[in-house]
């Protein structure tokens, strides 16, 4: 019997397997940021331990950094106004210096969101096991890698041993076949899958995305798809290696070169599920029927196509679902049966580890160009995922397009995705967001978040409400 992609990656990294199901796997790459690492480094310090492999680690500040260009223009961390954020950033810097961990600091143009920086630098490579103290580490699975988030105690364990204690996941294949409609992106595919199976639908699984709609995606789209796998309950998302993968990786700063590249490429081309591989579960969706998606509630599974409506109580099967609907609508300030196209927004956020790459900036700018922010939209934050994305966008003049439309062009960081910095959504305000979670208070206490693609977010910014991008007057 053939092997799945996940089986191949697991077998290649298995150090030890116990009868109780617990296992030890080797970790190739450990990505570190300022939020989940301080306790781990302190644990090493107290135990008198040193990291097992220094250059298997790469650190970068992202969650707490200010995206205000004026603050970022000041030297070092002195421009970070929030004292707690500044302390976390300084602590990361000190810990990396003390333990000789490679650090891409705030002044470095390569700095950015950890899940944007890793692929850009070639720290993310096919066939790797990759961990980070962040749930959206699943992003890196787009490269045919086994990548997932870990907790702070596991961060310490990986630093000390370069191994992780874990259990094998179930295999779940999601097949997305067909040519997608105009205006439909990887974000829409991801939200449609979550809407189909729910936020617990892939619990305990490694999800492999496959099918013609997936292979047609760019690497940036594939990263978006794998990024959102965690919102379906999966531990990891992944996509087989193909020419698109290899073309993206080649000549990245940390990628192999010369004879090493030839050897790596030969191995990487084996990183796909065998034709006779058996999956524990499988879901098939016709991608050609998926429309642009908008979440209406307080969970990514509370989602509908742009032409849909908020559900009504009578359409739900049980009391638990009805109570969840009632709570979500009360928090979101919406009514049963309301058309999504009737929902107006107060703010728009284009950014996050889900949608802050150059491709996302280009899509948003193509819609914004020649238009202005709607009068009812108070602010639009456009936040590139890294300094390199920012530089590329500025070289293409995208920043000028956003600014001419009355939008804010910011410095790289996690920004409004999770309200751990100054970019927050005020209570009662409604935001069209390209981020990955719409939980209560996710973007700020009392804030109301609707998850959408960059195209939908840009359209909402100029229309003042949710509409299909194709309906904008050209």
């Amino acid at each position: 019997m053939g092997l799945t992609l996940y089986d191949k990656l697991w077998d290649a990294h298995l150090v030890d397997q116990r009868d109780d199901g617990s296992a030890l796997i080797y970790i190739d790459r450990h990505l570190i940021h300022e939020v989940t690492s301080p306790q781990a480094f302190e644990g090493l310090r107290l135990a008198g331990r040193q990291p097992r492999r220094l250059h298997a680690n790469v650190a970068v500040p992202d969650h707490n950094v200010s995206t205000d260009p004026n603050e970022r223009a000041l030297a070092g961390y002195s421009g970070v106004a929030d004292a707690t954020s500044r302390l976390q950033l300084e602590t990361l810097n000190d810990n990396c210096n003390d333990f000789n961990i490679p650090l891409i600091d705030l002044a470095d143009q390569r700095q950015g969101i950890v899940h944007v920086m890793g692929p850009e630098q070639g720290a993310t490579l096919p066939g790797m096991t990759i961990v980070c103290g962040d749930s959206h580490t699943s992003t890196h699975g787009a490269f045919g890698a086994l990548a997932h988030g870990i907790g702070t105690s596991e961060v310490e364990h990986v630093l000390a041993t370069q191994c992780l204690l874990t259990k094998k996941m179930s295999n779940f294949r999601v097949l997305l076949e067909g040519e997608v409609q105009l205006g439909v992106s990887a974000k829409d595919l991801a939200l449609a899958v979550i809407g189909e199976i729910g936020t617990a639908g892939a619990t305990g699984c490694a999800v492999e995305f496959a099918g013609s709609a997936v292979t047609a995606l760019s690497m940036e789209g594939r990263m978006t798809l794998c990024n959102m796998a965690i919102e379906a309950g999966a531990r990891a998302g992944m996509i087989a290696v193909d020419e698109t993968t290899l073309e993206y990786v080649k000549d990245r700063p940390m990628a192999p070169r010369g004879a090493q590249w030839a050897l790596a490429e030969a191995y990487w081309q084996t990183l796909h599920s065998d034709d006779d591989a058996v999956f524990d579960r499988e879901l098939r969706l016709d991608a050609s029927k998926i429309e642009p998606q908008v979440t209406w509630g307080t969970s990514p599974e509370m989602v509908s196509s742009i032409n849909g409506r908020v559900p009504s109580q009578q359409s739900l099967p049980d009391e638990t679902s009805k109570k969840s609907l009632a709570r979500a609508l009360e928090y979101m300030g919406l009514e049963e049966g309301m058309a999504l196209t009737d929902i107006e927004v107060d703010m728009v956020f284009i950014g996050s580890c889900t949608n802050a790459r150059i491709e996302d900036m280009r899509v948003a700018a193509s819609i914004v160009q020649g238009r202005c922010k709607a009068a009812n939209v108070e602010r639009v934050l456009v936040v590139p995922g890294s300094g390199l994305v920012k530089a590329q966008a500025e070289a293409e003049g995208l920043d000028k397009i956003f600014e001419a439309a009355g939008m804010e062009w910011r410095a790289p960081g996690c920004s409004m995705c999770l309200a751990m910095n100054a970019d927050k959504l005020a209570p009662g305000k409604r935001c069209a967001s390209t981020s990955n979670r719409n939980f209560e208070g996710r973007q700020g206490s009392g804030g109301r978040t609707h998850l959408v693609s960059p195209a939908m977010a840009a359209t909402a910014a100029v229309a003042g409400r949710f509409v299909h991008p194709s309906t904008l007057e050209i």
Side-chain angles (χ1 to χ4, degrees), residues 187-188 191 228 293-295 332 345-355 379-381 414-419 425 430-439 442-443 448-458 460-461 466:
K187 182 66 162 290
D188 300 303
L191 288 171
M228 293 293 291
Q293 304 284 299
V294 183
T295 63
M332 295 296 291
V345 299
D346 305 300
M347 197 166 178
V348 174
F349 169 56
I350 300 172
S352 86
C353 63
T354 314
N355 286 124
R379 293 180 73 189
V380 179
L381 269 60
C414 291
S415 187
M416 271 191 75
C417 175
L418 75 172
L425 188 60
R430 190 179 305 282
C431 181
S433 176
T434 65
S435 55
N436 40 53
R437 287 182 174 160
N438 55 338
F439 306 153
R442 170 71 175 182
Q443 291 191 291
R448 296 163 171 167
T449 300
H450 297 268
L451 303 179
V452 291
S453 70
M456 286 290 292
F466 293 117

Side-chain angles (χ1 to χ4, degrees), residues 253-268:
M254 296 176 69
R257 298 176 186 277
Q260 287 188 331
W261 171 266
L263 289 171
E265 183 179 24
Y267 168 59
W268 292 342

Side-chain angles (χ1 to χ4, degrees), residues 106-355:
L106 205 56
D108 194 316
Q109 189 183 47
R110 298 171 298 166
Q111 180 273 331
I113 303 170
V114 66
H115 307 311
V116 176
M117 176 281 297
E120 281 182 340
Q121 294 306 308
T124 301
L125 294 172
M128 279 186 164
T129 45
I130 302 170
V131 295
C132 175
D134 185 279
S135 57
H136 292 100
T137 308
S138 55
T139 305
H140 307 264
F143 292 82
L146 172 55
H148 56 80
I150 55 175
T152 297
S153 62
E154 292 172 313
V155 171
E156 180 183 350
H157 190 268
V158 172
L159 282 168
T161 69
Q162 210 56 46
C163 290
L164 180 70
L165 184 65
T166 186
K167 289 189 175 183
K168 194 173 184 185
M169 310 171 205
S170 299
N171 281 287
F172 187 170
R173 180 164 61 180
V174 173
L175 283 163
L176 296 165
E177 298 284 5
E179 185 176 349
V180 299
Q181 300 176 26
L182 186 65
V184 171
S185 70
K187 182 66 162 290
D188 300 303
L189 298 179
L191 288 171
V193 169
I194 297 167
E196 180 74 19
I197 67 175
T199 51
T203 300
C205 297
V207 172
E208 180 180 346
F209 295 100
S212 59
V214 175
T215 55
L217 292 172
S218 67
M219 283 310 300
E220 303 201 340
R222 296 179 190 189
M223 283 186 262
T224 296
L225 193 57
C226 289
N227 175 279
M228 293 293 291
I230 191 71
E231 306 310 331
R235 284 295 311 284
M238 58 188 65
I239 295 171
V241 173
D242 61 11
E243 288 303 316
T244 300
T245 321
L246 299 176
E247 184 179 345
Y248 181 97
V249 169
K250 193 168 187 178
D251 296 326
R252 296 282 166 180
M254 296 176 69
R257 298 176 186 277
Q260 287 188 331
W261 171 266
L263 289 171
E265 183 179 24
Y267 168 59
W268 292 342
Q269 288 177 335
T270 70
L271 297 177
H272 55 80
S273 292
D274 296 330
D275 291 340
D276 57 344
V278 176
F279 289 82
D280 300 297
R281 294 180 59 194
E282 191 166 276
L283 171 71
R284 293 173 179 263
L285 290 180
D286 184 348
S288 68
K289 295 182 178 179
I290 295 173
E291 296 182 312
Q293 304 284 299
V294 183
T295 63
W296 48 264
T298 53
S299 168
E301 69 184 1
M302 295 177 172
V303 65
S304 177
S305 70
I306 181 59
N307 294 314
R309 293 180 175 272
V310 175
S312 58
Q313 295 266 357
Q314 63 185 23
S315 68
L316 299 178
D318 54 66
E319 286 303 313
T320 300
S321 299
K322 292 177 180 179
K323 288 179 180 178
S324 295
L325 173 65
R327 179 184 173 91
L329 296 189
E330 181 181 6
Y331 181 85
M332 295 296 291
L334 300 175
E335 298 177 0
E336 293 182 37
M338 186 177 185
L340 297 189
T341 51
D342 289 338
I343 300 174
E344 295 188 350
V345 299
D346 305 300
M347 197 166 178
V348 174
F349 169 56
I350 300 172
S352 86
C353 63
T354 314
N355 286 124

